[in-house]
């Protein structure tokens, strides 16, 4: 989804825009949640860029809520800031 911003050139609307991404963080140990490739279960990583990236805040909040409801650990949603801008 693309939103208008005053600094965007209307002739090239997708340049200088970056989508937001969100990750889940375990509150007990500060690790980030990833998906293990071997069994599709939840894994822990120390770098948020290696974690599973949600494309919308709502999806991340929904997943964190479901995991919190299941118990065992508490999860929070964090917005990931991309380190490189292409502008």
């Amino acid at each position: 989804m693309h939103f208008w911003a005053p600094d965007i050139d209307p002739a090239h609307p997708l340049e200088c825009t970056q989508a937001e991404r969100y990750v889940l963080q375990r509150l007990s140990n500060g690790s980030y949640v990833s998906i293990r490739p071997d069994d599709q279960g939840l894994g822990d990583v120390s770098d948020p860029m290696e974690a599973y990236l949600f494309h919308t805040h709502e999806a991340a909040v929904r997943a964190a809520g479901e995991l919190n409801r299941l118990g065992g650990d508490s999860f929070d949603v964090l917005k990931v800031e991309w380190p490189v801008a292409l502008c």
Side-chain angles (χ1 to χ4, degrees):
M1 181 176 288
H2 179 69
F3 293 98
W4 179 84
D7 297 330
I8 295 176
D9 177 5
H12 303 93
L14 297 180
E15 291 181 12
C16 301
T17 60
Q18 296 183 12
E20 295 180 349
R21 297 290 186 258
Y22 301 89
V23 298
L24 300 183
Q25 184 179 35
R26 288 186 191 269
L27 296 179
S28 63
N29 62 11
S31 65
Y32 303 95
V33 176
S34 67
I35 306 288
R36 291 189 305 259
D38 54 343
D39 64 358
Q40 300 297 302
L42 297 182
D44 291 337
V45 294
S46 59
D47 182 7
M49 292 304 208
E50 296 174 4
Y52 180 81
L53 296 173
F54 290 87
H55 295 274
T56 65
H57 183 256
E58 292 79 11
V61 169
R62 189 170 41 251
E66 186 66 20
L67 290 170
N68 288 335
R69 187 185 65 77
L70 293 173
D73 207 346
S74 295
F75 296 85
D76 195 11
V77 175
L78 297 176
K79 182 178 177 182
V80 176
E81 298 292 335
W82 295 110
V84 179
L86 300 176
C87 298

